[in-house]
Amino acid sequence: LASLVGLALFLIMNFRKFMVFLPLFFIGLMSFKGAERFAMYLAPFLGLGFGYLFDMLVKLNIKKINNVKNVVASIMAIVLTIIPLAPNIVIAEPKITPQLYADFVNLNKITPKSSVIWTWWDYGTAIEFLANRATFHDGQSQIYPKTYFIATSYSDSNPEIAYNTISAISNIGNTGIEKLLKEKNTPQEIRDKIFEGKFNAPLKRPTYFAFTGDEIGKFGWINYFGTWDFKKKKGIFEPIGQLGDCKKKSEDTVFCGLNEINIKKMYLKTPSLKLNINTLAIYKDKKLTIKSLDSDGLYIDVVYLKNSKINVYILQRQPFYSMFNQMYILRDYDPKYFNLVYDNFPTMVLYEVNKEPKELSK
């Protein structure tokens, strides 16, 4: 806090000299509300601020009092004045919610010790630490090709392709992909072979597909990577919208604040417009009901939770049929490839990946 005061004084007195550093300084300030990693950009400026403040106080006191203790006392007086303001300046928020933390710890109990978790990379390290389970990728390995293939398992609509992808990456890994690239296979050719199951083999370790609540907000970018077009060199950015404070008004209507969803007449009404619903998925009491109209319109999930709470998600067609929406939000999966073993939606939903595809009786 003393450093920030000193930095503010330095800015006032030397603004023109400081302008060249402003972009880095603003990135550093993001550590207060954004990712804490941005603090590395702020640290040099805090050192500058503290040094500048100390220098000012020394110059003010050195002529009158030749005593370092009084200089230190002056700095401490400023710090003690600012400390009561600290709660209003910095509000530390947990990066992992208590509920998700508990579910990661619970992974240790509901999965075998030799298990490996298939999920997006952001919480890979947290799972490795809290659950003591291996993951396919984490913050240290998201730059490798397997990140793309994990994204495809979220964005694709075909459970067989999702399974083939998991099986291939489990068996050949990055090493196998690098070998295929050296053999002059193009990335698209490698992808097609993986999707077709060319590298499938029985899984050697228990493998689990985990979905977590944070991925709803991240889905737009996960989907962008997972739908990558190698010719156009871009993917489809389609985020999933969520309406808050949703409550059931009647058998046919759900209100989310000022927004009304009419289940019978298939429309979403906002304060300013009325939109048709093409497909409405209702998940209630572990049962899924789908209503569809042969017309243009929105794709909406209505998910009933505990304590009469309701979550409503608004999607476009492609994300609606993605494995992420089908398996995570709607709990609709193909038992030939996956088996639901833990359902704590929306915090975490966990599937066991079958060692090899099961032959299901008709």
Side-chain angles (χ1 to χ4, degrees):
L1 293 173
S3 299
L4 289 173
V5 170
L7 189 61
L9 292 172
F10 180 84
L11 267 169
I12 294 169
M13 303 300 294
N14 303 274
F15 184 73
R16 289 186 178 180
K17 295 179 181 178
F18 195 78
M19 284 184 67
V20 68
F21 299 109
L22 279 177
L24 289 175
F25 175 61
F26 287 135
I27 291 174
L29 289 179
M30 290 173 65
S31 60
F32 289 119
K33 287 294 183 180
E36 293 174 358
R37 69 185 70 131
F38 292 119
M40 70 177 76
Y41 294 97
L42 187 62
F45 296 105
L46 294 180
L48 170 64
F50 190 87
Y52 187 75
L53 180 64
F54 188 88
D55 185 65
M56 285 187 64
L57 291 173
V58 167
K59 288 178 179 178
L60 288 172
N61 287 276
I62 200 70
K63 293 180 180 179
K64 298 179 180 180
I65 311 167
N66 194 14
N67 190 334
V68 177
K69 289 183 179 179
N70 289 326
V71 177
V72 175
S74 300
I75 295 174
M76 290 303 299
I78 293 174
V79 172
L80 291 172
T81 302
I82 299 172
I83 282 177
L85 303 175
N88 298 320
I89 298 173
V90 181
I91 301 175
E93 298 179 356
K95 301 304 177 186
I96 301 178
T97 65
Q99 295 82 7
L100 188 55
Y101 187 103
D103 275 352
F104 285 165
V105 172
N106 198 34
L107 275 175
N108 185 275
K109 303 175 183 177
I110 60 179
T111 62
K113 191 174 181 179
S114 60
S115 299
V116 58
I117 310 299
W118 179 278
T119 192
W120 195 238
W121 67 265
D122 286 80
Y123 286 147
T125 304
I127 292 172
E128 292 157 9
F129 175 70
L130 297 172
N132 194 27
R133 294 293 180 266
T135 63
F136 280 89
H137 71 162
D138 52 30
Q140 291 72 50
S141 62
Q142 84 270 29
I143 61 172
Y144 295 104
K146 60 185 173 182
T147 299
Y148 161 73
F149 286 106
I150 289 176
T152 65
S153 69
Y154 279 77
S155 62
D156 203 274
S157 61
N158 189 334
E160 183 178 7
I161 287 178
Y163 180 85
N164 290 348
T165 302
I166 296 172
S167 181
I169 300 303
S170 299
N171 288 295
I172 68 171
N174 277 323
T175 304
I177 294 172
E178 294 293 343
K179 182 180 179 182
L180 290 167
L181 288 170
K182 289 178 180 178
E183 293 172 353
K184 306 303 180 182
N185 290 278
T186 67
Q188 186 167 346
E189 288 172 341
I190 296 172
R191 181 202 64 185
D192 293 343
K193 289 177 181 179
I194 286 177
F195 282 5
E196 292 166 8
K198 300 293 185 182
F199 307 107
N200 281 17
L203 300 178
K204 297 177 182 178
R205 298 173 62 179
T207 302
Y208 293 83
F209 196 165
F211 299 91
T212 53
D214 61 290
E215 293 167 353
I216 292 176
K218 299 168 184 173
F219 179 78
W221 285 111
I222 297 174
N223 193 64
Y224 181 79
F225 300 131
T227 57
W228 188 260
D229 188 310
F230 290 96
K231 294 180 180 178
K232 296 180 180 179
K233 297 190 181 300
K234 65 179 182 179
I236 301 171
F237 182 80
E238 287 287 1
I240 295 175
Q242 182 173 354
L243 297 179
D245 191 28
C246 298
K247 297 178 182 178
K248 181 180 178 181
K249 275 289 185 181
S250 68
E251 287 298 321
D252 296 327
T253 56
V254 173
F255 276 87
C256 302
L258 298 176
N259 303 298
E260 175 193 350
I261 298 169
N262 191 298
I263 295 172
K264 184 177 182 180
K265 297 182 179 180
M266 296 284 282
Y267 66 75
L268 167 64
K269 188 177 181 182
T270 74
S272 58
L273 71 163
K274 184 178 178 181
L275 302 169
N276 292 327
I277 298 175
N278 175 291
T279 301
L280 183 68
I282 302 171
Y283 187 82
K284 184 179 181 181
D285 299 328
K286 298 183 178 182
K287 294 181 180 179
L288 177 63
T289 303
I290 304 287
K291 294 184 66 177
S292 295
L293 297 176
D294 187 18
S295 63
D296 293 332
L298 300 171
Y299 290 75
I300 291 182
D301 298 335
V302 178
V303 182
Y304 287 78
L305 307 175
K306 299 175 182 178
N307 303 322
S308 301
K309 292 183 179 180
I310 301 173
N311 280 9
V312 172
Y313 304 95
I314 302 175
L315 312 89
Q316 295 298 320
R317 188 179 189 282
Q318 183 265 320
F320 179 83
Y321 289 106
S322 69
M323 286 294 96
F324 179 77
N325 183 55
Q326 296 298 312
M327 292 180 66
Y328 169 55
I329 297 178
L330 300 179
R331 269 59 55 89
D332 188 20
Y333 63 97
D334 190 335
K336 180 178 180 180
Y337 305 107
F338 306 100
N339 179 36
L340 180 62
V341 294
Y342 184 74
D343 185 355
N344 188 29
F345 184 85
T347 305
M348 186 174 78
V349 176
L350 185 71
Y351 290 88
E352 182 179 11
V353 183
N354 294 338
K355 186 175 181 180
E356 51 189 329
K358 289 184 178 179
E359 292 298 329
L360 302 175
S361 57
K362 296 182 180 180

